[in-house]
Short mmCIF file of all heavy atoms in Angstrom, two decimals:
data_model
loop_
_atom_site.label_atom_id
_atom_site.label_comp_id
_atom_site.label_asym_id
_atom_site.label_seq_id
_atom_site.Cartn_x
_atom_site.Cartn_y
_atom_site.Cartn_z
N ILE A 38 14.35 -17.96 32.15
CA ILE A 38 14.26 -17.21 33.39
C ILE A 38 14.69 -18.15 34.51
O ILE A 38 14.06 -19.20 34.73
CB ILE A 38 12.81 -16.70 33.66
CG1 ILE A 38 12.25 -15.96 32.45
CG2 ILE A 38 12.76 -15.87 34.93
CD1 ILE A 38 12.99 -14.70 32.08
N ALA A 39 15.77 -17.79 35.20
CA ALA A 39 16.28 -18.64 36.27
C ALA A 39 15.31 -18.68 37.44
O ALA A 39 14.79 -17.66 37.88
CB ALA A 39 17.63 -18.12 36.73
N VAL A 40 15.05 -19.90 37.93
CA VAL A 40 14.19 -20.12 39.08
C VAL A 40 14.95 -21.03 40.04
O VAL A 40 15.54 -22.02 39.62
CB VAL A 40 12.85 -20.78 38.65
CG1 VAL A 40 11.97 -21.08 39.85
CG2 VAL A 40 12.13 -19.91 37.65
N ALA A 41 14.93 -20.69 41.31
CA ALA A 41 15.67 -21.47 42.31
C ALA A 41 15.08 -22.88 42.45
O ALA A 41 13.87 -23.06 42.49
CB ALA A 41 15.64 -20.76 43.66
N GLN A 42 15.92 -23.86 42.52
CA GLN A 42 15.63 -25.26 42.82
C GLN A 42 14.66 -25.94 41.86
O GLN A 42 13.97 -26.87 42.23
CB GLN A 42 15.11 -25.38 44.26
CG GLN A 42 16.09 -24.88 45.29
CD GLN A 42 15.57 -24.98 46.70
OE1 GLN A 42 14.41 -25.29 46.93
NE2 GLN A 42 16.44 -24.74 47.67
N THR A 43 14.62 -25.47 40.61
CA THR A 43 13.79 -26.13 39.60
C THR A 43 14.32 -25.76 38.21
O THR A 43 15.26 -25.00 38.08
CB THR A 43 12.30 -25.76 39.75
OG1 THR A 43 11.54 -26.56 38.82
CG2 THR A 43 12.05 -24.30 39.47
N LEU A 44 13.70 -26.31 37.23
CA LEU A 44 14.09 -25.98 35.86
C LEU A 44 13.81 -24.51 35.57
O LEU A 44 12.88 -23.93 36.13
CB LEU A 44 13.32 -26.84 34.86
CG LEU A 44 13.60 -28.35 34.89
CD1 LEU A 44 12.64 -29.06 33.93
CD2 LEU A 44 15.04 -28.63 34.51
N ASN A 45 14.63 -23.94 34.71
CA ASN A 45 14.38 -22.56 34.29
C ASN A 45 13.02 -22.46 33.63
O ASN A 45 12.60 -23.36 32.90
CB ASN A 45 15.45 -22.08 33.31
CG ASN A 45 16.77 -21.83 33.97
OD1 ASN A 45 16.87 -21.78 35.19
ND2 ASN A 45 17.79 -21.66 33.17
N GLN A 46 12.32 -21.36 33.86
CA GLN A 46 11.07 -21.08 33.19
C GLN A 46 11.39 -20.39 31.87
O GLN A 46 12.51 -19.90 31.68
CB GLN A 46 10.18 -20.19 34.06
CG GLN A 46 9.78 -20.86 35.36
CD GLN A 46 8.96 -22.13 35.11
OE1 GLN A 46 7.97 -22.11 34.40
NE2 GLN A 46 9.39 -23.23 35.70
N GLN A 47 10.44 -20.34 30.99
CA GLN A 47 10.65 -19.69 29.70
C GLN A 47 9.63 -18.58 29.50
O GLN A 47 8.48 -18.72 29.92
CB GLN A 47 10.54 -20.69 28.55
CG GLN A 47 11.62 -21.74 28.56
CD GLN A 47 11.53 -22.61 27.34
OE1 GLN A 47 11.30 -22.12 26.23
NE2 GLN A 47 11.70 -23.90 27.52
N GLN A 48 10.09 -17.51 28.87
CA GLN A 48 9.19 -16.41 28.53
C GLN A 48 9.36 -16.12 27.05
O GLN A 48 10.48 -15.93 26.57
CB GLN A 48 9.53 -15.15 29.33
CG GLN A 48 8.63 -13.99 28.99
CD GLN A 48 8.95 -12.75 29.79
OE1 GLN A 48 9.85 -12.75 30.62
NE2 GLN A 48 8.21 -11.69 29.54
N TRP A 49 8.23 -16.10 26.34
CA TRP A 49 8.27 -15.81 24.92
C TRP A 49 8.59 -14.35 24.72
O TRP A 49 7.96 -13.48 25.31
CB TRP A 49 6.93 -16.18 24.28
CG TRP A 49 6.91 -16.03 22.80
CD1 TRP A 49 7.70 -16.67 21.89
CD2 TRP A 49 6.03 -15.20 22.03
NE1 TRP A 49 7.38 -16.29 20.61
CE2 TRP A 49 6.35 -15.38 20.67
CE3 TRP A 49 5.03 -14.31 22.35
CZ2 TRP A 49 5.70 -14.72 19.65
CZ3 TRP A 49 4.37 -13.66 21.33
CH2 TRP A 49 4.71 -13.87 20.00
N THR A 50 9.57 -14.05 23.88
CA THR A 50 9.99 -12.67 23.65
C THR A 50 9.46 -12.11 22.34
O THR A 50 9.73 -10.96 22.02
CB THR A 50 11.53 -12.56 23.68
OG1 THR A 50 12.07 -13.39 22.66
CG2 THR A 50 12.08 -12.97 25.04
N GLY A 51 8.73 -12.90 21.59
CA GLY A 51 8.15 -12.42 20.34
C GLY A 51 9.00 -12.76 19.14
O GLY A 51 10.15 -13.16 19.26
N PRO A 52 8.44 -12.61 17.95
CA PRO A 52 9.21 -12.92 16.74
C PRO A 52 10.34 -11.93 16.54
O PRO A 52 10.20 -10.75 16.84
CB PRO A 52 8.17 -12.81 15.63
CG PRO A 52 7.11 -11.93 16.17
CD PRO A 52 7.09 -12.13 17.66
N THR A 53 11.48 -12.43 16.07
CA THR A 53 12.63 -11.56 15.85
C THR A 53 12.99 -11.42 14.38
O THR A 53 13.53 -10.40 13.98
CB THR A 53 13.87 -12.06 16.60
OG1 THR A 53 14.17 -13.39 16.17
CG2 THR A 53 13.63 -12.04 18.11
N SER A 54 12.72 -12.44 13.58
CA SER A 54 13.04 -12.31 12.15
C SER A 54 12.29 -13.36 11.34
O SER A 54 11.86 -14.37 11.86
CB SER A 54 14.55 -12.45 11.91
OG SER A 54 14.97 -13.77 12.18
N GLU A 55 12.16 -13.04 10.06
CA GLU A 55 11.61 -13.98 9.08
C GLU A 55 12.49 -13.90 7.85
O GLU A 55 12.71 -12.81 7.34
CB GLU A 55 10.17 -13.63 8.74
CG GLU A 55 9.57 -14.55 7.69
CD GLU A 55 8.12 -14.20 7.36
OE1 GLU A 55 7.55 -13.28 7.97
OE2 GLU A 55 7.58 -14.86 6.45
N GLU A 56 13.00 -15.04 7.42
CA GLU A 56 13.86 -15.08 6.24
C GLU A 56 13.25 -16.00 5.20
O GLU A 56 12.68 -17.03 5.53
CB GLU A 56 15.25 -15.57 6.62
CG GLU A 56 15.97 -14.64 7.58
CD GLU A 56 17.34 -15.17 8.01
OE1 GLU A 56 17.77 -16.21 7.49
OE2 GLU A 56 17.96 -14.52 8.86
N VAL A 57 13.37 -15.59 3.95
CA VAL A 57 12.87 -16.37 2.82
C VAL A 57 14.01 -16.52 1.83
O VAL A 57 14.72 -15.56 1.53
CB VAL A 57 11.67 -15.66 2.14
CG1 VAL A 57 11.25 -16.38 0.88
CG2 VAL A 57 10.50 -15.55 3.11
N THR A 58 14.20 -17.74 1.34
CA THR A 58 15.20 -17.99 0.30
C THR A 58 14.48 -18.54 -0.93
O THR A 58 13.76 -19.53 -0.84
CB THR A 58 16.27 -19.00 0.78
OG1 THR A 58 16.88 -18.48 1.96
CG2 THR A 58 17.32 -19.22 -0.29
N ILE A 59 14.68 -17.85 -2.04
CA ILE A 59 14.07 -18.25 -3.31
C ILE A 59 15.19 -18.80 -4.18
O ILE A 59 16.23 -18.16 -4.36
CB ILE A 59 13.43 -17.04 -4.01
CG1 ILE A 59 12.37 -16.40 -3.11
CG2 ILE A 59 12.84 -17.46 -5.36
CD1 ILE A 59 11.92 -15.04 -3.57
N SER A 60 15.00 -19.99 -4.72
CA SER A 60 16.02 -20.57 -5.59
C SER A 60 15.41 -20.92 -6.94
O SER A 60 14.22 -21.23 -7.05
CB SER A 60 16.65 -21.81 -4.95
OG SER A 60 15.65 -22.77 -4.65
N GLY A 61 16.24 -20.84 -7.96
CA GLY A 61 15.77 -21.15 -9.30
C GLY A 61 16.91 -21.34 -10.27
O GLY A 61 18.09 -21.23 -9.91
N VAL A 62 16.56 -21.61 -11.50
CA VAL A 62 17.54 -21.82 -12.58
C VAL A 62 17.06 -21.04 -13.79
O VAL A 62 15.89 -21.12 -14.17
CB VAL A 62 17.68 -23.31 -12.93
CG1 VAL A 62 18.67 -23.50 -14.06
CG2 VAL A 62 18.11 -24.13 -11.72
N LEU A 63 17.97 -20.28 -14.37
CA LEU A 63 17.69 -19.55 -15.60
C LEU A 63 18.35 -20.24 -16.78
O LEU A 63 19.49 -20.70 -16.67
CB LEU A 63 18.25 -18.13 -15.53
CG LEU A 63 17.72 -17.20 -14.47
CD1 LEU A 63 18.49 -15.90 -14.49
CD2 LEU A 63 16.26 -16.94 -14.70
N PHE A 64 17.65 -20.30 -17.88
CA PHE A 64 18.22 -20.72 -19.15
C PHE A 64 18.03 -19.54 -20.08
O PHE A 64 17.10 -19.49 -20.89
CB PHE A 64 17.54 -21.99 -19.66
CG PHE A 64 17.72 -23.16 -18.75
CD1 PHE A 64 16.75 -23.50 -17.82
CD2 PHE A 64 18.89 -23.91 -18.80
CE1 PHE A 64 16.92 -24.57 -16.97
CE2 PHE A 64 19.07 -25.00 -17.95
CZ PHE A 64 18.09 -25.33 -17.03
N ASN A 65 18.88 -18.55 -19.90
CA ASN A 65 18.69 -17.24 -20.51
C ASN A 65 18.59 -17.30 -22.04
O ASN A 65 17.77 -16.61 -22.63
CB ASN A 65 19.82 -16.29 -20.08
CG ASN A 65 19.52 -14.86 -20.46
OD1 ASN A 65 18.41 -14.40 -20.27
ND2 ASN A 65 20.51 -14.18 -21.00
N GLU A 66 19.41 -18.11 -22.67
CA GLU A 66 19.41 -18.16 -24.14
C GLU A 66 18.07 -18.66 -24.68
O GLU A 66 17.57 -18.15 -25.69
CB GLU A 66 20.54 -19.08 -24.64
CG GLU A 66 20.71 -19.04 -26.13
CD GLU A 66 21.95 -19.79 -26.57
OE1 GLU A 66 23.03 -19.55 -26.01
OE2 GLU A 66 21.82 -20.63 -27.50
N GLU A 67 17.44 -19.62 -23.99
CA GLU A 67 16.18 -20.17 -24.47
C GLU A 67 14.97 -19.39 -23.96
O GLU A 67 14.00 -19.18 -24.68
CB GLU A 67 16.03 -21.65 -24.04
CG GLU A 67 16.97 -22.60 -24.74
CD GLU A 67 18.36 -22.64 -24.09
OE1 GLU A 67 18.52 -22.07 -22.99
OE2 GLU A 67 19.26 -23.23 -24.67
N PHE A 68 14.99 -18.98 -22.67
CA PHE A 68 13.78 -18.43 -22.05
C PHE A 68 13.94 -17.03 -21.47
O PHE A 68 12.97 -16.45 -21.00
CB PHE A 68 13.30 -19.36 -20.93
CG PHE A 68 13.06 -20.77 -21.39
CD1 PHE A 68 13.86 -21.80 -20.92
CD2 PHE A 68 12.06 -21.08 -22.29
CE1 PHE A 68 13.65 -23.10 -21.32
CE2 PHE A 68 11.84 -22.37 -22.70
CZ PHE A 68 12.64 -23.40 -22.22
N GLY A 69 15.14 -16.50 -21.40
CA GLY A 69 15.36 -15.18 -20.81
C GLY A 69 15.37 -15.23 -19.30
O GLY A 69 15.47 -16.29 -18.69
N GLY A 70 15.27 -14.07 -18.68
CA GLY A 70 15.20 -13.99 -17.23
C GLY A 70 16.40 -13.33 -16.57
O GLY A 70 16.31 -12.89 -15.43
N GLN A 71 17.53 -13.27 -17.26
CA GLN A 71 18.73 -12.69 -16.65
C GLN A 71 18.54 -11.21 -16.32
O GLN A 71 19.04 -10.74 -15.31
CB GLN A 71 19.95 -12.89 -17.56
CG GLN A 71 21.26 -12.46 -16.92
CD GLN A 71 21.63 -13.29 -15.69
OE1 GLN A 71 21.53 -14.51 -15.71
NE2 GLN A 71 22.04 -12.64 -14.63
#
Side-chain angles (χ1 to χ4, degrees):
I38 308 297
V40 177
Q42 300 179 352
T43 186
L44 294 174
N45 287 347
Q46 297 299 307
Q47 294 185 42
Q48 179 179 0
W49 185 59
T50 60
T53 58
S54 68
E55 178 179 357
E56 296 177 5
V57 173
T58 302
I59 302 166
S60 57
V62 179
L63 298 175
F64 298 97
N65 192 44
E66 188 172 310
E67 291 83 9
F68 304 114
Q71 187 64 45

